[in-house]
Amino acid sequence: MTDFLSKASTAVALGLPNIARVASYRLGVKLGLNPVRGLQAAVPQGPFFERPALPPISAPPVSGWQTSAQLFSHWPFDLTAQPPDWLANPFTGQRLAAPERGWWQIPDFDPAVGDIKLIWELSRMDWVLAFAQRARNGDGEALARLNDWLTDWCTHNPPYRGPNWKCGQEASMRVMHLAMAAMILGQVQQPATGLRDLIRLHLQRIAPTVQYAMAQDNNHGTSEAAALFIGGSWLAALGVAEAARWQQAGRYWLENRAARLIGPDGSFSQYSLNYHRVMLDTFCMVEVWRRHMALPTFSERWCERALAATQWQHHMVNPINGEGPNLGANDGARLLQLTDSAYRDYRPSVQLAMALFADQRAYAQDGTWNHPLHWLGVSAPQAVAPPPGSRVGDDGGFAVLRRGAALAMLRYPRFRFRPSQADALHLDLWLGGENLLRDAGSYSYNTETRWLNYFGGTASHNTVQFDDRDQMPRLGRFLFGDWLKTSFIEPLMHEAQAAHFAIGYRDGQRASHQRRICLGDAHLRVVDDVAGFTRKAVQRWRLAPGDWKLAGQSLTNGAHVLTVRASMPIVRCELVEGWESRHYLEKTPVPVLEIEVRQPGTLTTEYRWTP
């Protein structure tokens, strides 16, 4: 009965209209009733881009995609054989069986190939941008390679056949990257026939299934809306009959998604730093394109939400190396790669979004974060934004405290949309660009059950776990039920020497956790009140890799000291091995301090460093 009620309450929270949309979509595709099943088109013919007539750009192009590349912005991929095999797992070389099938006949998780995302990665066409950059700066070989690869891609991915047509969002990423490449090369107004045809057949794929994307309430919807708007307005200007309808639908859904998925505080529906970047880069491409095409501005509310989302990300990112908390689900997605900056460096995205939506620079100094502005023709504003301070984003459940070089980020339950991780009251601690107390990340969406449960579960976060279970019952690969609600909150307070915040929840099994944090210039104090559990509570602190030594209830690496005290007996205080994933498909060990108690009471943790 409890499980039934959990699933029923989750269904209500997800929204019955969305469930109906998904069911209608799946049934329509399966039975051939959705018009997407009847699509047919000829294979586009190159060339797709001509030699540019514009002067070079002073910013350097991306250096990858010549003899090697980095898949998921991390894993080396040899390009000795060019073009690459678009239908194979790039790590194993295993090809998808019968790729000539209609896309709707291909599963998401193939036992031979593995996660279909591995096949999709090359077809997101990051390389289009890299080749376009070099071609703009006079590299004729890059232009030839750009056309050769696109011709090969079209030959091996005939319209609506094979795995790379399966997902409307993947098709949308290609549209956006092709459009940005056309801007870089100055070929928007008079594109080659092959490029026009390629854009058109992508929009024909996206439009019939857009309701399914919107039902997900995530970046599928923002991506597909952006592709319809960008591609539709482009083809409409070229006289394509149905394009005005696509453009109108894209604008409508962009407005709708901004209003629904972005809270007034700027938090995004997916509660993830990286998926927030995907959404924000998408909105940046939309705005850059709108200005380039001299199209009407979006509504005041759209602009407000885009600005709020920009400021949210600005507050999460440290300016030293551009990194931020390894927060929420993360599949390695990264759009609009116009720099050689690291995958976890968010500054290029923040700088571009601040320039577009705030008319300010986030970072006053010159650096790689300015390169996207140069490539996309965006003027750097004169005004520089003040450095971000402490803030509470209560729409999404995020508190950021700052003192000097220290930053503490506390995650708490405010779920309007489905949570993908059981991370309530997780705490991240940063000192400058160093992540001292850290989140585990996601690792993989298609792996052994134990890893799916670990990385998305409570045990992989800096919080308290009750009775060896997750804070919410897992209902599926990407879904938890019985969503937590905040039961206690004290406002953010600043004193002369420290910043304070407190929050708490009670879960569906009556266990409760209240957490008070105090951040000073050289210390973090965390007070955890725990009660209502049956057998035990385990507090975890996931540490930066290093030579940590535990003596009693005090832990040190020589420079930092972490000490735990308790009002009840501590049954176990142990340094164990945990795991983290800083990039998709990567997992590395990290030291984790576990403190186990079997009675309700208060745990007090002090983390100290030299200021």
Side-chain angles (χ1 to χ4, degrees):
M1 184 64 177
T2 301
D3 184 58
F4 170 79
L5 292 175
S6 173
K7 292 185 178 181
S9 64
T10 301
V12 171
L14 284 173
L16 293 178
N18 280 353
I19 293 174
R21 283 179 184 173
V22 172
S24 175
Y25 159 80
R26 289 177 175 166
L27 185 63
V29 171
K30 182 177 181 179
L31 298 179
L33 302 176
N34 190 301
V36 76
R37 286 281 301 270
L39 291 176
Q40 293 183 349
V43 174
Q45 302 297 310
F48 298 89
F49 291 98
E50 307 291 343
R51 184 176 297 278
L54 297 174
I57 297 291
S58 58
V62 168
S63 61
W65 299 104
Q66 298 186 77
T67 59
S68 65
Q70 287 188 326
L71 301 186
F72 301 103
S73 299
H74 178 70
W75 297 103
F77 178 64
D78 182 68
L79 288 172
T80 302
Q82 297 189 28
D85 189 338
W86 312 108
L87 304 172
N89 180 323
F91 300 127
T92 67
Q94 180 68 46
R95 267 189 137 234
L96 185 78
E100 71 280 358
R101 288 175 289 173
W103 61 262
W104 57 89
Q105 298 172 305
I106 296 172
D108 287 343
F109 300 98
D110 182 278
V113 175
D115 190 346
I116 198 171
K117 285 177 54 59
L118 300 176
I119 292 180
W120 287 347
E121 178 70 3
L122 287 166
S123 290
R124 289 185 167 182
M125 295 190 177
D126 302 323
W127 44 269
V128 165
L129 295 172
F131 294 163
Q133 287 178 309
R134 291 203 287 273
R136 171 67 183 266
N137 283 359
D139 186 340
E141 183 179 340
L143 178 64
R145 188 178 299 180
L146 173 58
N147 282 310
D148 288 346
W149 283 33
L150 284 171
T151 297
D152 191 76
W153 190 91
C154 291
T155 299
H156 290 92
N157 295 275
Y160 321 125
R161 299 285 168 179
N164 290 314
W165 290 104
K166 184 173 176 62
C167 177
Q169 184 181 31
E170 298 298 318
S172 299
M173 292 178 180
R174 293 194 287 271
V175 169
M176 289 186 278
H177 285 158
L178 288 166
M180 295 301 106
M183 279 186 53
I184 290 170
L185 294 173
Q187 295 173 26
V188 171
Q189 278 67 38
Q190 294 182 317
T193 301
L195 179 58
R196 182 200 62 196
D197 293 344
L198 185 57
I199 295 294
R200 183 176 184 175
L201 64 89
H202 273 76
L203 299 188
Q204 287 173 327
R205 163 62 186 89
I206 297 164
T209 60
V210 72
Q211 289 287 343
Y212 173 77
M214 302 309 158
Q216 305 307 307
D217 277 340
N218 60 19
N219 56 36
H220 281 251
T222 55
S223 299
E224 295 188 29
L228 289 171
F229 174 76
I230 291 171
S233 59
W234 192 1
L235 297 186
L238 298 174
V240 175
E242 66 267 48
R245 175 168 49 87
W246 293 330
Q247 177 186 356
Q248 183 179 11
R251 180 179 281 270
Y252 169 82
W253 284 115
L254 282 167
E255 293 278 4
N256 177 281
R257 296 296 86 184
R260 176 168 171 76
L261 303 184
I262 302 173
D265 66 358
S267 58
F268 183 54
S269 64
Q270 291 184 271
Y271 313 117
S272 157
L273 188 64
N274 197 60
Y275 283 152
H276 194 103
R277 174 169 64 177
V278 169
M279 174 274 296
L280 196 57
D281 284 344
T282 299
F283 275 30
C284 285
M285 285 188 275
V286 164
E287 179 62 11
V288 166
W289 183 265
R290 184 199 66 77
R291 295 183 185 188
H292 185 79
M293 298 292 285
L295 298 169
T297 58
F298 287 93
S299 69
E300 182 178 352
R301 181 169 62 176
W302 190 91
C303 296
E304 288 174 352
R305 295 298 168 89
L307 173 60
T310 300
Q311 293 171 332
W312 185 96
Q313 189 135 300
H314 186 207
H315 275 78
M316 285 285 186
V317 172
N318 80 76
I320 295 174
N321 58 12
E323 291 199 19
N326 197 12
L327 171 70
N330 183 348
D331 67 352
R334 185 185 182 191
L335 303 182
L336 198 58
Q337 295 184 44
L338 296 172
T339 77
D340 278 333
S341 56
Y343 169 74
R344 293 187 52 79
D345 184 350
Y346 287 75
R347 289 173 297 182
S349 294
V350 171
Q351 187 82 323
L352 177 60
M354 287 289 287
L356 290 170
F357 302 125
D359 196 26
Q360 294 177 317
R361 285 175 290 154
Y363 314 109
Q365 300 84 359
D366 194 21
T368 57
W369 45 87
N370 286 324
H371 294 173
L373 279 70
H374 297 309
W375 285 109
L376 298 175
V378 177
S379 299
Q382 291 298 313
V384 177
S390 300
R391 75 188 307 235
V392 174
D394 197 54
D395 297 306
F398 301 96
V400 177
L401 281 66
R402 291 180 184 268
R403 289 288 307 185
L407 176 150
M409 188 283 297
L410 183 66
R411 175 83 178 100
Y412 64 93
R414 280 284 195 251
F415 298 131
R416 288 197 306 125
F417 303 95
R418 64 181 186 267
S420 63
Q421 297 198 348
D423 60 354
L425 305 197
H426 166 81
L427 182 64
D428 243 59
L429 176 63
W430 292 73
L431 186 61
E434 185 180 3
N435 193 184
L436 304 181
L437 297 174
R438 46 183 56 199
D439 200 327
S442 297
Y443 177 48
S444 173
Y445 291 172
N446 182 27
T447 184
E448 300 171 55
T449 300
R450 69 184 181 112
W451 294 120
L452 288 171
N453 291 341
Y454 175 79
F455 280 97
T458 304
S460 68
H461 294 93
N462 295 321
T463 187
V464 176
Q465 182 181 29
F466 298 119
D467 300 323
D468 292 323
R469 59 177 173 81
D470 284 329
Q471 297 161 333
M472 300 172 285
R474 186 182 287 275
L475 302 182
R477 189 186 297 266
F478 305 116
L479 182 63
F480 287 93
D482 201 7
W483 297 355
L484 296 176
K485 294 181 180 179
T486 294
S487 60
F488 158 82
I489 187 169
E490 291 181 356
L492 174 67
M493 293 181 57
H494 280 277
E495 297 177 346
Q497 301 300 321
H500 304 262
F501 184 71
I503 198 79
Y505 74 86
R506 184 186 301 273
D507 70 19
Q509 298 189 40
R510 308 297 294 170
S512 65
H513 180 191
Q514 293 185 1
R515 171 162 278 184
R516 292 174 168 82
I517 61 174
C518 171
L519 180 67
D521 292 336
H523 80 282
L524 170 72
R525 184 172 70 251
V526 183
V527 179
D528 290 313
D529 294 314
V530 295
F533 51 92
T534 303
R535 295 181 294 106
K536 65 178 180 179
V538 177
Q539 179 193 62
R540 290 184 177 86
W541 295 114
R542 303 171 47 81
L543 306 159
D547 185 19
W548 292 91
K549 304 294 184 183
L550 179 63
Q553 293 162 206
S554 183
L555 184 71
T556 183
N557 64 356
H560 301 170
V561 178
L562 188 154
T563 304
V564 179
R565 295 178 286 109
S567 66
M568 63 293 222
I570 292 179
V571 175
R572 179 173 62 90
C573 183
E574 184 179 9
L575 192 61
V576 303
E577 183 180 75
W579 295 90
E580 72 173 355
S581 176
R582 309 293 272 186
H583 302 87
Y584 194 63
L585 300 177
E586 174 200 43
K587 67 178 187 291
T588 54
V590 292
V592 180
L593 182 65
E594 292 188 347
I595 302 94
E596 180 180 334
V597 297
R598 296 179 184 173
Q599 297 176 20
T602 301
L603 291 160
T604 301
T605 304
E606 294 267 358
Y607 192 118
R608 293 190 171 273
W609 59 89
T610 302

